Structure formats: structure tokens, C-alpha cells
Amino acid sequence: GPGKGPDKYFQSQRSDIYRKHAQELLDRGAAYRCFCSTSRLEALRTEQTAQGRAPAYDRHCAHLSSRQIDEKLRAGERHTVRMRAPSAEDSDSGRFYDIVHRAMDFRGPAGFDDAVLLKSDGQPTYHLANVVDDHLMRITHVLRGEEWLMSTPKHRALFTAFGWQAPQYAHLPLLMNPDGSKLSKRNDDGPVQRYIDDGYLPESLVNYTALLGWHPETPQELFTLRQLEQSFSLAGLSRSKSVVSRERLDWLNRQHLRAALADPDKSAGLIQQARAEVAAASGLETASVRPETVATALRLAGDRLTFTKDLYNAVPFMFGDPALDTTAAEQALILVPHEFHIPILNALEHALASEVSESWIGFAKSVAAAAQVPTKHVMMMLRFALTGERFGPKIPELLDALPVDSIKRRIRSAKTEIESR
């Protein structure tokens, strides 16, 4: 296991180990060689299905004599190695406790067919490989998908045949797509690398994965890795299938991104990452995108930002003066009566000619009084001039974020744009 051997294990590189253990089962009489052809097995399966029986091997080769086996081996006949599954009466392998599904009882033919352990090319099936690996690696708990629940009696029977202690099992519910189909590694949303490439933080993926099939004892949804280590319990696993929802993952990523930006140990790396992404999205040279501006933009975007790669599209006005002849700008401007446009901009220019000593809210109210207009119209004209958009950050936060020289320049540009119409 981790820390005891290589970082990765490949079953294809452990074939000798599996063949050795298959031979051990043969020597014990717990397995046998099967020389049946593919055509015979297909015919058997067709016949059993037509009779309404569950397909299962009929042990045609289970009683071959040593002489018959030796003759077939000398003739080079292809064969597999099958386990000699115990009968329901002779084995307790079908009755076990599953951490998720609780008491299970599969005693009967379905759980005790003679499964193939070694294929005709000498490679192991999962049934043999997983049992051997779990024993050699001293695995105490096996957590796997519930599709393997029906195969557990086979695996427990193999542990018994080897004389080994079987681990505890927890068969987890399947992950489902929103349309109700099973999530697969072949789906676009299957591979973890796809999520990483999309910009999800590792903390978000770990948090989200933990909540798929596990229910914490409290309503808490946002967990750090440390909190998960302290809170996670196998007793909280659920039998209900979980739907993989990007909407919930997006929410978690927004929360973890905000927390990471507030952490000095993590924020520096995210700022540099976002800086390169802004340059790529805007066409600007990376050197011209100041880290301080990126940090301010990240704070300003707040919960509206799901990924750092979306920063430029979320607050483009932080990296250059906005275009004021767009549909988005017009949607902001039409909220202010036409006759108020120039008076408000003139009042803003005059108020900014001297240093602003009051709060921005107080500043807006003073401008509104000078222009004799409602304060809400001053706020919207500021939004139009500073962002060219109808929606966005709160105006006081925006005024704090932008340099005063930039604010003055944008108000002049807004006045020029309106006067030219």
C-alpha cells in the first residue's frame, strides 16, 4: 500500500503473483482447469437463458482426471482456471455484513457460480486479482461500487479457500448523471482531470466527492480537508444514489476560492494564475497586468466568480476603460432619465475636482443634491461611466477599487459619449 511499496500498482506487472496463487488453489482442489471452448460456453448460456435459468457454468471440466488434464495440457489446449465455488450449504461466504447495506444474505446459486480466475491468456480476472492484492497489501476495508455487491460472496469464498481473513466491505451507491444514467469514466463528466482542466480547485473536488453518498451529522456542507479528516465516518454512508451536479460543485468552488484568496499562503499562487488568465483573455501582455490590480479584481468579483479563468469576463472594467457604445452600457443608461445625464456628470466632475473627504455614499448624496436628482440616478450614472454595464459590484466598493484618476477619466469619457449623440 502507500508508503510500503511503489506509488502505483499495475496488475499487468503482477501476473506471476496471480498465477502462483491460482496454482495454490489448484493444488488445494479449490480451483480447476476448464478446457471448454467459447462456442460451447455460448451454447450453454443460450440454452440456460431459453429455459429461464440464470447463466452459470455446468462444471463440465470440474471432474476431469489428472490423466485427462495432463493430456490436454500436453496437446496445448487453451484453458482457463475456475474457482470451485462451495455450495450454499457448505459455505457462509454469502452471508456477511456490509457497512452500507448492513446484513446481507446471498446464499444461493447466484452468488456461488464457478467464476473464472485466470483467463486463457494467463491474465487474472478481477475476482482473483483483487483478493490477492487486498491480502498482500493488508487491506482491512474495501470501499467499492455497489455493482460488486453480488460478487462479494465469490471473493469471500476465495479468502476462505486461501485461509485468509476477509476485509470489511462497504459497497457505495452509484454516481448518476442528471438524466438518471450511470456516470462512467467514458462520460465527459467522468474523469477527474476534466474537472481540474475546467478550473475546479482540489479542495472543492475533495469536498464535493466526500458529499457524494456521505451525510455529515450536521447541516455543514463546506469542509476543508482537515475538517473532513475529523468528521468523516463510514457510518454516515448512504445507500441512496447520488447525482453528480455541476451546480452544487460550482457553489462549493466559489466558497473555496473565496477562502483561498483570504489565505496568504494560497492567494499568491491564485493571483499569478489569474494574472496569466486575464492576459490570455484580454490580449494584454502579462507584464502589463499588475498583480495588485488582479488581487483587487478578485476581491471585487467576490461570490460571482466561480473560476479564476473567468475573472476578466466578470470585471473587464478593472483592466481597461469600458466601451460605452455597447448594448450592455445602453441598458444601464436608459435607467436614468435623459435630462439628468449631463447634470449628473457635471456634478461628478466638479465634486471630484477636490479631494473626497467623505464616504462614497455621502459623496453620491452630495452630488445628487448638487444636480437636484435622486441619489439612485447618480449611482446608476456612476455604474454606466465606470463599468459600461447595468449590473456589477456595489458602487462604493467599485469606487474604492479604482484609482481616482481613472474615475475622473471615465466620467469625462462618459460625458463625451453622451454629448456626441
Side-chain angles (χ1 to χ4, degrees), residues 55 226 419:
R226 179 60 178 164
E419 288 177 336

Side-chain angles (χ1 to χ4, degrees), residues 29-339:
Y32 60 92
R33 301 181 193 277
C34 175
F35 296 89
C36 290
S37 64
T38 301
S39 59
R40 181 185 184 278
L41 294 175
E42 289 178 350
L44 176 63
R45 187 179 301 110
T46 300
E47 178 183 353
Q48 291 173 332
T49 301
Q51 294 173 354
R53 293 187 291 155
Y57 184 58
D58 61 358
R59 290 193 167 181
H60 179 74
C61 294
H63 307 294
L64 293 176
S65 66
S66 297
R67 179 179 176 181
Q68 290 173 309
I69 294 173
D70 289 341
E71 288 176 352
K72 290 179 178 293
L73 290 176
R74 282 196 298 270
E77 290 190 30
R78 291 173 63 84
H79 66 279
T80 61
V81 174
R82 291 181 179 272
M83 68 178 294
R84 193 185 300 274
S87 65
E89 294 76 18
D90 297 333
S91 172
D92 199 36
S93 299
R95 184 169 57 188
F96 59 94
Y97 181 82
D98 184 89
I99 295 172
V100 176
H101 295 268
R102 309 298 188 258
M104 304 302 298
D105 193 340
F106 285 117
R107 289 175 296 176
F112 292 92
D113 60 317
D114 289 0
V116 173
L117 302 180
L118 282 184
K119 295 179 284 189
S120 58
D121 61 0
Q123 292 301 312
T125 62
Y126 174 76
H127 299 306
L128 176 64
N130 94 90
V131 168
V132 171
D133 288 343
D134 286 349
H135 173 72
L136 295 182
M137 297 179 188
R138 300 180 181 180
I139 301 299
T140 60
H141 292 72
V142 173
L143 278 68
R144 60 189 182 185
E146 64 182 12
E147 66 265 36
W148 290 106
L149 190 59
M150 290 289 290
S151 296
T152 303
K154 300 185 185 74
H155 303 158
R156 285 173 49 81
L158 282 173
F159 274 102
T160 299
F162 280 118
W164 300 335
Q165 176 68 44
Q168 295 186 55
Y169 289 94
H171 288 86
L172 307 176
L174 299 179
L175 300 182
M176 312 300 290
N177 292 307
D179 63 3
S181 61
K182 176 185 173 183
L183 184 71
S184 166
K185 62 183 179 182
R186 297 174 182 83
N187 294 120
D188 287 342
D189 280 348
V192 173
Q193 189 61 47
R194 170 67 181 273
Y195 292 89
I196 295 173
D197 294 341
D198 284 349
Y200 290 101
L201 298 175
E203 297 90 337
S204 305
L205 290 173
V206 171
N207 190 164
Y208 182 66
T209 303
L211 295 175
L212 291 174
W214 172 67
H215 297 294
E217 296 180 355
T218 67
Q220 180 179 351
E221 287 191 86
L222 195 66
F223 289 88
T224 64
L225 182 58
R226 179 60 178 164
Q227 289 172 330
L228 282 173
E229 291 173 353
Q230 296 172 340
S231 303
F232 184 82
S233 169
L234 294 179
L237 295 175
S238 169
R239 281 177 280 183
S240 301
K241 293 179 174 60
S242 298
V243 175
V244 175
S245 165
R246 286 268 183 154
E247 183 178 350
R248 190 183 191 194
L249 179 56
D250 287 350
W251 180 84
L252 284 171
N253 205 63
R254 287 192 288 273
Q255 309 314 307
H256 280 287
L257 179 57
R258 183 172 64 177
L261 290 172
D263 184 342
D265 293 333
K266 298 179 180 179
S267 61
L270 287 172
I271 289 170
Q272 290 304 320
Q273 176 181 315
R275 184 185 181 202
E277 291 166 340
V278 166
S282 64
L284 297 170
E285 293 292 332
T286 303
S288 67
V289 181
R290 300 175 59 213
E292 298 84 358
T293 303
V294 173
T296 300
L298 286 167
R299 175 180 54 78
L300 200 62
D303 289 344
R304 296 182 297 117
L305 192 66
T306 302
F307 309 107
T308 57
K309 66 180 181 181
D310 296 334
L311 179 61
Y312 179 74
N313 289 331
V315 287
F317 45 81
M318 288 299 298
F319 305 99
D321 291 356
L324 299 179
D325 56 354
T326 64
T327 300
E330 190 63 29
Q331 289 175 343
L333 190 60
I334 61 176
L335 295 178
V336 181
H338 181 269
E339 62 271 20

